[in-house]
Amino acid sequence: MNKEKTLFWITIISALIVLIIAASLSVFISKEKNDIELKLNRSIFNKKPSGMAAWHKVLSDSGVDVALWRNSFHGLTSIEKEKATMVIISPEFAANNTYVFTQKDIENILNWVRVGNTLIFVDDFNRTSSRDFLSKLNLQLADKFDKEDKAKDMDKDKDKEKDLKDLGTYFDEISQDLYTDEKTLYDISEIDEFNYKVNTISSTSTVRLKDKFIQPIIEDDEGIILGKRDYGKGKVYVLTIPDLMDNSTLYEEEDNYQFFTNLVLVDHKKIYINEYVHGFVKSENLMSYYSETLLNPLSKQFLLLMIILLWSVSRRFGKPRPLYDDDRKTNIIYVNAMGNLYNLAGLTGTALTPIYNQFKIALCKELRIDINTTPQELFRVIRNTYSNTQSEDLVSIINECEIAMHSNEISKEDMVNLCKRLNKYRLKGSRYAKRS
């Protein structure tokens, strides 16, 4: 193996080692920071404290007919007749650079409810998009909490909603207080509608709804925590405590998981958990699927490695070397040099031999006669096959070639002219002359 190949393979192996180490470190660091969250994420794909992965697993393992909804809200028309239940938990206005739960989305989900489906909407209503949802239902936050929200101005102005950076301010503020507040216990043992022997639930939420156009299910002195609103032929349940069933409550003594599971099953319908509102759009191809896995950063690192290697090859490891042509017959300098040698040696006729032999083989093949036939027989077949002018020209060319090859007395110029005459009969499809 030469020096250039050795350096090339050393570069490849070194780069791969760096890639493996970097990927291993990233996985290790991500596991170390598994319980650290920079923002709330109420998705069932989130295994950190604010996620809903644990509750989803409990629900799935219970044999409930549950499915994930990752299509846009326009696709709800495909399940209108199923009379299903849709669960939406803390929808994002903008997730993964995709705008979700817009005004049009709210209209589509409510139209879906109107024909007889059930919606369970869980949120703390700190986002303008979710408060717009309340407005569509003629619902309002309790006066105390509505004033506090306006004072805090969590969402900025509507004109700034499209600026994704503004959402980061809200997440940073609320995540600092996450799980630090003392949880409030709620006694719900007297609720007949959910008579599943659930006694207490707990939450840190302080958001409440007004008693207007909504039937209270759980409430306290400050307002409604859970209420029901009839909408067309369907129903909308609004719950103001999204931390009710997050991963942080898995091992608590209260009955949060059981209560919420009973709630989503109250109408005995198929359950759809909406993950589109968290930016998890349905994957249409393998690349979209793998972009959410560890393969995504590894592919980017591998692509960077390939770019470096291509640049390295273009620069070369050594000095550039000339490319030699092994087929010297295609080199015009070589052909001219050989022609001059034949001419100086008086062997011009000898140089004509391979050219004439190739011509004669093709001609005999055209006439369907043996290549070793006598000149007299060849001339007879030529005269019987072609016109008088063409046959006399062919006979003349053959005679001149035979004389030149045997005498070697033809000049270089005459040989060139003779080759041109031979070439005149090299017609398409190996036809040397038109038939008479």
Side-chain angles (χ1 to χ4, degrees):
M1 185 180 293
N2 56 34
K3 182 179 179 180
E4 288 81 2
K5 288 185 178 179
T6 302
L7 290 173
F8 177 79
W9 284 111
I10 289 175
T11 305
I12 287 282
I13 294 172
S14 300
L16 287 175
I17 291 174
V18 172
L19 273 177
I20 294 171
I21 294 174
S24 302
L25 286 174
S26 64
V27 173
F28 177 77
I29 293 172
S30 64
K31 288 183 178 180
E32 289 291 321
K33 295 182 177 180
N34 189 50
D35 292 332
I36 299 176
E37 291 191 273
L38 298 179
K39 68 174 185 177
L40 292 170
N41 181 11
R42 302 298 187 185
S43 168
I44 64 170
F45 295 110
N46 181 19
K47 297 181 180 180
K48 298 177 182 179
S50 70
M52 305 292 174
W55 171 77
H56 177 254
K57 180 171 176 55
V58 170
L59 185 66
S60 301
D61 292 345
S62 301
V64 178
D65 188 7
V66 59
L68 301 186
W69 183 264
R70 300 175 67 177
N71 297 310
S72 69
F73 285 95
H74 296 287
L76 289 172
T77 53
S78 63
I79 59 170
E80 278 185 351
K81 297 180 180 180
E82 289 188 10
K83 299 299 184 259
T85 296
M86 178 76 69
V87 180
I88 296 179
I89 305 172
S90 295
E92 303 284 352
F93 179 77
N96 298 333
N97 296 326
T98 302
Y99 290 101
V100 294
F101 208 65
T102 59
Q103 289 283 350
K104 188 63 178 177
D105 293 334
I106 295 173
E107 293 176 6
N108 287 330
I109 187 66
L110 290 180
N111 289 335
W112 178 77
V113 173
R114 184 182 288 111
V115 298
N117 295 288
T118 300
L119 173 65
I120 297 177
F121 193 92
V122 187
D123 195 25
D124 54 12
F125 300 100
N126 279 314
R127 301 166 182 82
T128 300
S129 57
S130 56
R131 288 204 292 270
D132 288 342
F133 173 77
L134 289 181
S135 298
K136 287 286 185 179
L137 294 172
N138 293 323
L139 302 179
Q140 296 178 0
L141 295 175
D143 293 337
K144 172 184 176 181
F145 308 104
D146 192 29
K147 292 178 181 178
E148 288 181 355
D149 282 339
K150 290 179 181 178
K152 292 178 181 178
D153 193 22
M154 290 289 192
D155 291 306
K156 311 298 181 183
D157 297 326
K158 283 191 176 181
D159 295 335
K160 297 182 180 179
E161 283 183 348
K162 292 185 179 180
D163 187 357
L164 301 183
K165 294 182 180 178
D166 287 347
L167 294 176
T169 303
Y170 162 70
F171 288 131
D172 291 340
E173 291 176 359
I174 196 168
S175 61
Q176 292 176 0
D177 298 328
L178 189 62
Y179 313 117
T180 58
D181 296 337
E182 291 186 4
K183 292 199 171 185
T184 303
L185 293 180
Y186 301 97
D187 184 2
I188 60 171
S189 58
E190 301 299 324
I191 299 176
D192 295 332
E193 186 171 356
F194 301 99
N195 187 19
Y196 297 101
K197 297 182 180 179
V198 176
N199 296 319
T200 57
I201 59 174
S202 62
S203 171
T204 61
S205 175
T206 58
V207 180
R208 301 292 185 273
L209 298 175
K210 285 184 178 180
D211 185 10
K212 182 179 181 181
F213 300 111
I214 188 170
Q215 175 186 344
I217 297 176
I218 301 178
E219 60 181 334
D220 57 13
D221 294 338
E222 295 179 330
I224 300 172
I225 298 173
L226 171 65
K228 182 178 74 170
R229 165 84 152 84
D230 293 328
Y231 196 83
K233 296 180 180 180
K235 290 178 286 187
V236 179
Y237 292 90
V238 181
L239 181 65
T240 64
I241 44 179
D243 65 338
L244 175 72
M245 60 290 181
D246 60 23
N247 296 330
S248 67
T249 62
L250 177 60
Y251 299 108
E252 293 186 358
E253 295 181 357
E254 283 70 47
D255 303 311
N256 289 11
Y257 276 32
Q258 185 64 56
F259 169 76
F260 192 70
T261 302
N262 295 340
L263 175 62
V264 299
L265 295 175
V266 67
D267 290 327
H268 307 286
K269 299 177 179 179
K270 181 176 181 179
I271 309 300
Y272 286 97
I273 300 178
N274 196 312
E275 284 299 320
Y276 173 80
V277 295
H278 299 130
F280 292 96
V281 181
K282 182 178 180 181
S283 300
E284 300 295 340
N285 52 60
L286 286 178
M287 294 307 297
S288 298
Y289 172 77
Y290 285 119
S291 65
E292 300 175 5
T293 66
L294 186 60
L295 188 62
N296 184 23
L298 288 179
S299 300
K300 292 178 180 179
Q301 293 180 57
F302 183 74
L303 179 61
L304 178 60
L305 171 62
M306 290 297 102
I307 293 174
I308 294 174
L309 290 176
L310 287 174
W311 175 84
S312 176
V313 170
S314 67
R315 300 289 298 177
R316 292 180 175 270
F317 293 102
K319 296 181 179 179
R321 294 175 293 183
L323 180 64
Y324 295 102
D325 188 358
D326 296 332
D327 186 7
R328 295 188 297 171
K329 295 188 293 298
T330 63
N331 191 315
I332 191 63
I333 299 176
Y334 171 76
V335 173
N336 286 333
M338 293 303 296
N340 290 330
L341 285 175
Y342 275 111
N343 189 44
L344 292 173
L347 300 174
T348 311
T350 304
L352 183 63
T353 300
I355 301 173
Y356 171 72
N357 287 339
Q358 185 180 8
F359 165 79
K360 187 177 179 180
I361 291 171
L363 178 61
C364 290
K365 184 177 180 180
E366 170 73 18
L367 297 174
R368 298 180 182 178
I369 61 175
D370 188 4
I371 186 66
N372 296 319
T373 188
T374 61
Q376 292 77 13
E377 179 65 19
L378 177 60
F379 294 157
R380 186 186 66 78
V381 176
I382 289 174
R383 290 189 176 95
N384 292 334
T385 305
Y386 303 118
S387 64
N388 292 335
T389 303
Q390 292 170 339
S391 60
E392 291 302 323
D393 192 25
L394 282 169
V395 170
S396 174
I397 291 173
I398 294 172
N399 285 328
E400 291 180 24
C401 287
E402 292 287 348
I403 294 172
M405 288 188 298
H406 289 89
S407 65
N408 282 321
E409 294 180 353
I410 187 173
S411 65
K412 183 179 179 181
E413 289 76 13
D414 291 339
M415 189 188 74
V416 172
N417 291 329
L418 188 59
C419 289
K420 289 180 179 179
R421 292 174 64 190
L422 289 171
N423 192 59
K424 180 178 68 172
Y425 287 98
R426 296 187 178 186
L427 304 177
K428 184 178 181 181
S430 300
R431 301 292 177 179
Y432 280 81
K434 294 183 181 179
R435 298 180 182 275
S436 57

